[in-house]
Amino acid sequence: MNDRLASIRQEILDGIEAHVESRAAAFELRKQFLDSKTGKIGQLLKEMKSIAPEERAGFGKSVNELKEWAQQRFMELDEKMKAKELQRRYESEKIDVTMPAEGVITGNLHPITQIRNQLIEVFTGMGFEVVETREIENDYYNFTALNTPKDHPARDMQDTFYLSPEFLLATQTSAAQIHTMEKKKPPIKMIAAPGKVFRSDDDATHSPMFHQLEGLVVDKKITLCDLKGMLDVFVKKIYGEEATTRLRPSYFPFTEPSVEVDVSCFACGGKGCKLCKGTGWIEILGAGIVNKKVLENCGIDSENYSGLAFGIGLERTAMLKYGINNIKLLFESDLRVLQQINDN
Ligand code: PHE
C-alpha cells in the first residue's frame, strides 16, 4: 500500500515537472488526483473497506497526509502558473515607447466645403443668418418673382434644365431671396448656402452643376456703399488683407442698379499678370441693389425699405484662391489634387 502512495506522490511530482504551462493544464492535472469522484487519491479512500481493520487507521492517516501534501503542491503550482500567465501577458502587451510613431493619415474637407465654411464664417461674423437653398425650383421662384417673366431676354443668360414646363433645376440661388422675403419681414440679413445650381454649360471654367452663395440684406436705407463695405470685408478675409474691390455696371433683372464685382489681383497686387490677364482686376461675383419690383413681389414696402443682394460662385472662388485652372479637378475626386488643398 505504501508503495502505491509513494508512486502516486511521484506521479504528481513528475506531472508537475513535465508539461504544465498554464492554469488550465494545472487544473486538469489536479483533477486526475484530487477530483472527489474520479481522482486517484479519492479512489484510495474508497478502498478503505478492503483493508484489514487494524491497518485502516494508519492507512487513512497516510492517505490524508498525501491528500494534504497534494493540495499544497497544486496550490503552489496554480500560483506559479498565475504568475507565468501574467508575465506572458505583460510581454505580449509590451509597448516600446521609444519606437517612432506610425503616421496617421487624416482626410481633409473638399475645397468647395472649405470655401463654403470660410464664407459662412465671414458672413455670420457680420451678422448674417444662414438659410438653405432648393435644388428644384418652380418657374416662379427661379425667374418670374425675380423680375424675369417668361419672354424676358435675360432667361437666355442661363441655360436652364427643365424638368417639366413648371419645374426646373435651380439655375441660381437667387430664388432663396424670394423664399426668405415671403417668410420674413425686414430687417433681413441672410446668406443662402450650400446652394447647388445647374446650367447647361460645360468647359474648363464651367460645369453643369456648381455652387453659389447668395446674400441678401433688406432694411431701411440700404445702399451700394453697404454692399461695397461688406464685400471689402469678404475679399480681405478670403484673398488677404491687401485685397480691395471695384464695382462695374452690369445687368441682372432682379437688381437695379446691378454690378459686377472685381477683386484687385492678389497674385500680382494689381500690377498685371497672367491670372488677371494684365488688368490688375479679377471678376468675382454679381451683385446689386434689389429691384423694387422684387421687393413688391414679396409684399415689402419698397418706399421704406431697400435691399442689396450678391451671388458668389464657390468653384470660381476656390479656383482663384487655390490656383486651380480647370473646374473639373474639383469634381474628379483625385486625392492627389484634393490633399494639396487643406486650408482649415
Ligand atoms: N444670380 C446671379 C447669377 O447667377 C448672381 C446675382 C445674385 C446677381 C444676386 C445679383 C444679385 O449670375
Side-chain angles (χ1 to χ4, degrees), residues 201-207 315-316 319 324-331:
D201 206 352
D202 202 4
D203 61 31
T205 53
H206 295 90
S207 153
E315 280 75 7
R316 184 160 171 76
M319 288 169 78
I324 300 167
N325 58 10
N326 190 324
I327 195 167
K328 301 295 178 301
L329 291 172
L330 290 170
F331 300 117

Side-chain angles (χ1 to χ4, degrees), residues 133-152:
T133 59
R134 303 177 188 195
E135 292 175 18
I136 294 175
E137 287 288 355
N138 67 18
D139 196 88
Y140 176 77
Y141 285 100
N142 195 82
F143 288 125
T144 310
L146 287 162
N147 193 33
T148 321
K150 276 232 154 52
D151 53 358
H152 199 289

Side-chain angles (χ1 to χ4, degrees), residues 91 160 217 219 249 257 322:
E91 263 158 38
T160 310
V217 179
D219 205 342
Y322 302 125

Side-chain angles (χ1 to χ4, degrees), residues 113-306:
T113 309
Q114 294 183 40
I115 289 288
R116 191 188 80 199
N117 289 350
Q118 290 167 25
L119 293 182
I120 287 177
E121 199 167 315
V122 169
F123 285 105
T124 52
M126 287 192 264
F128 283 72
E129 65 169 322
V130 184
V131 307
E132 290 200 346
T133 59
R134 303 177 188 195
E135 292 175 18
I136 294 175
E137 287 288 355
N138 67 18
D139 196 88
Y140 176 77
Y141 285 100
N142 195 82
F143 288 125
T144 310
L146 287 162
N147 193 33
T148 321
K150 276 232 154 52
D151 53 358
H152 199 289
R155 286 209 181 191
D156 293 345
M157 285 164 79
Q158 302 175 355
D159 297 300
T160 310
F161 289 113
Y162 280 93
L163 302 172
S164 69
E166 166 83 8
F167 290 100
L168 44 85
L169 295 181
T171 61
Q172 54 187 355
T173 45
S174 299
Q177 294 184 30
I178 308 298
H179 290 298
T180 305
M181 287 190 282
E182 281 184 351
K183 278 197 220 99
K184 216 180 148 192
K185 293 299 138 212
I188 292 170
K189 204 171 179 186
M190 72 83 177
I191 50 171
K196 242 180 210 174
V197 294
F198 306 84
R199 292 181 200 177
S200 180
D201 206 352
D202 202 4
D203 61 31
T205 53
H206 295 90
S207 153
M209 185 282 292
F210 62 104
H211 299 80
Q212 290 184 329
L213 182 133
E214 189 86 8
L216 174 72
V217 179
V218 183
D219 205 342
K220 290 186 170 139
K221 301 197 177 80
I222 295 294
T223 69
L224 273 181
C225 290
D226 299 302
L227 176 68
K228 183 155 165 52
M230 286 173 185
L231 294 178
D232 275 336
V233 173
F234 148 66
V235 296
K236 285 184 200 315
K237 290 266 166 62
I238 298 295
Y239 295 111
E241 279 306 313
E242 306 297 305
T244 54
T245 59
R246 82 174 177 187
L247 309 185
R248 276 182 298 111
S250 184
Y251 175 77
F252 298 103
F254 36 89
T255 45
E256 181 58 37
S258 300
V259 293
E260 210 74 69
V261 181
D262 296 343
V263 62
S264 55
C265 182
F266 38 85
C268 63
K271 287 190 214 67
C273 68
K274 231 170 87 187
L275 186 67
C276 59
K277 300 192 183 82
T279 64
W281 295 94
I282 301 169
E283 183 190 319
I284 49 165
L285 60 98
I289 292 299
V290 180
N291 194 314
K292 282 180 182 247
K293 287 190 193 153
V294 175
L295 294 178
E296 281 153 20
N297 286 344
C298 302
I300 291 175
D301 173 5
S302 62
E303 288 303 313
N304 276 316
Y305 290 102
S306 56

